[in-house]
Amino acid sequence: MIKLRIGGVPEHFNLPWHLCLDNDEFSEVGLDITWRDFYGGTGQMSKALRDNEIDVAIMLTEGIVKDIIDGNPSKIIQKYIASPLIWGIHVAQDSKYTTIADLKDTTCAISRFGSGSHLLAYVNAQNMDWDTSELKFEVVKNLDGALEALPEDKAQYFMWEHFTTKPYVDNGTFRRVGDCPTPWPCFVIVARDEVIKNNTKDLEALLDVINRTSKEFKSIPMISKTLSNAYEQDEKDIKEWLGLTRWSQEQLSETTITNVQDKLLELELISEKIDYNSICHTFK
């Protein structure tokens, strides 16, 4: 059995992986898979890949593209979610801010620098025609950190996946003032270069298993109820999310990689662009 360590956020997007694990589908193709939840998101997983703590990760596209350019010895091996991620923009329930425009010159809570919550703050700022060089941040590590920071006014707003945070909007902890969708497919599957070199066939087997499940995921009987129970979300919200979400079994296109790099360069989050094959590995 080949051991592979996989990381991902503890969110509904990744239920297909857990179904495959529960059904022993990976072990049937000779893979011993261990899963680790990363509550700190893509920034935390980038560090784990660099530190050889995990072999494969399911990460936000813009976050890993930036970190590969910054020297992370990893590559994208497949697109995972083809649809955009909808980032809710949240304030504390009793905040005086009522619109996105009100948040200009305030402090944004982020999980860590280089994370999606950090990078999308720049995208949102550009959408609002703010001076991105004036953005201010408070590192809160994860969603739990933001649940503390916003009511205590350590930061004034927090961007996180719309449906993951909706229970905290419903219970009155947060108030959502708007949304900011990513301008590209949101999640990708990433592997360390060493694993790509030494375990090519194992990674192909891994993708074959997850792709079978993700392709049929929406048609699984009672899947909305399973998701609702597993992630403690209203089934009505889960059905809305399922309607907006598309899984993929293909690699990112060169056009998408160009678009992501162009945006990161425009926002001065990277200093140069690199070629497609330095970011993506496509199995022949």
Side-chain angles (χ1 to χ4, degrees):
M1 296 282 279
I2 300 298
K3 295 181 182 292
L4 288 175
R5 304 160 298 172
I6 303 182
V9 291
E11 295 176 8
H12 33 315
F13 296 94
N14 285 328
L15 185 61
W17 292 91
H18 297 288
L19 294 180
C20 291
L21 283 165
D22 291 345
N23 295 331
D24 292 325
E25 293 178 53
F26 294 117
S27 60
E28 288 174 4
V29 295
L31 299 177
D32 179 9
I33 300 298
T34 56
W35 177 274
R36 177 178 165 190
D37 280 330
F38 282 81
Y39 292 85
T42 287
Q44 187 184 15
M45 282 184 276
S46 291
K47 185 176 186 302
L49 285 168
R50 285 174 176 264
D51 293 345
N52 191 16
E53 294 176 6
I54 54 175
D55 302 306
V56 177
I58 297 82
M59 308 174 72
L60 292 171
T61 306
E62 63 278 2
I64 188 55
V65 168
K66 180 185 185 304
D67 207 49
I68 289 172
I69 293 170
D70 289 344
N72 192 322
S74 302
K75 287 185 177 62
I76 296 168
I77 59 172
Q78 189 186 287
K79 177 169 43 175
Y80 179 59
I81 301 292
S83 46
L85 191 70
I86 302 173
W87 290 82
I89 304 170
H90 307 86
V91 298
Q93 178 62 34
D94 60 356
S95 169
K96 65 181 180 182
Y97 305 109
T98 59
T99 68
I100 301 175
D102 293 339
L103 296 169
K104 184 180 181 183
D105 300 324
T106 65
T107 298
C108 180
I110 61 173
S111 55
R112 63 181 63 208
F113 289 99
S115 67
S117 55
H118 175 224
L119 302 186
L120 262 291
Y122 282 89
V123 173
N124 176 64
Q126 188 182 56
N127 290 345
M128 299 300 296
D129 201 26
W130 297 345
D131 182 350
T132 56
S133 69
E134 298 294 323
L135 290 177
K136 294 177 286 188
F137 301 103
E138 175 75 15
V139 176
V140 298
K141 295 186 178 179
N142 50 36
L143 175 56
D144 286 343
L147 290 168
E148 293 181 12
L150 264 60
E152 293 176 2
D153 205 34
K154 293 177 181 176
Q156 286 69 56
Y157 68 104
F158 177 62
M159 297 177 65
W160 208 253
E161 198 273 327
H162 176 108
F163 293 94
T164 302
T165 47
K166 191 172 186 300
Y168 302 103
V169 174
D170 292 342
N171 72 15
T173 304
F174 285 157
R175 183 160 38 82
R176 188 187 312 109
V177 297
D179 287 314
C180 179
T182 58
W184 40 68
C186 59
F187 279 109
V188 292
I189 303 172
V190 181
R192 291 189 299 109
D193 288 342
E194 182 183 3
V195 180
I196 294 172
K197 179 181 178 181
N198 297 330
N199 300 90
T200 301
K201 294 299 182 184
D202 303 312
L203 289 176
E204 289 182 295
L206 177 84
L207 293 178
D208 284 344
V209 170
I210 190 61
N211 286 343
R212 282 199 304 270
T213 295
S214 68
K215 194 171 186 178
E216 306 297 330
F217 184 68
K218 288 189 183 185
S219 62
I220 296 173
M222 304 292 286
I223 191 59
S224 61
K225 185 169 288 296
T226 300
L227 283 158
S228 175
N229 292 336
Y231 296 94
E232 299 180 350
Q233 295 194 32
D234 191 294
E235 190 174 0
K236 172 175 61 66
D237 295 330
I238 288 292
K239 287 180 177 178
E240 181 183 351
W241 169 77
L242 280 170
L244 296 168
T245 303
R246 290 177 289 113
W247 279 263
S248 175
Q249 297 78 40
E250 301 174 351
Q251 180 56 285
L252 281 177
S253 68
E254 291 195 38
T255 299
T256 297
I257 290 296
T258 298
N259 291 342
V260 173
Q261 291 196 87
D262 284 346
K263 178 62 73 173
L264 292 173
L265 193 64
E266 182 184 354
L267 292 169
E268 298 182 352
L269 294 169
I270 58 173
S271 58
E272 63 175 349
K273 291 167 60 176
I274 62 177
D275 68 276
Y276 176 81
N277 291 326
S278 295
I279 295 174
C280 296
H281 176 83
T282 301
F283 298 98
K284 303 299 184 186

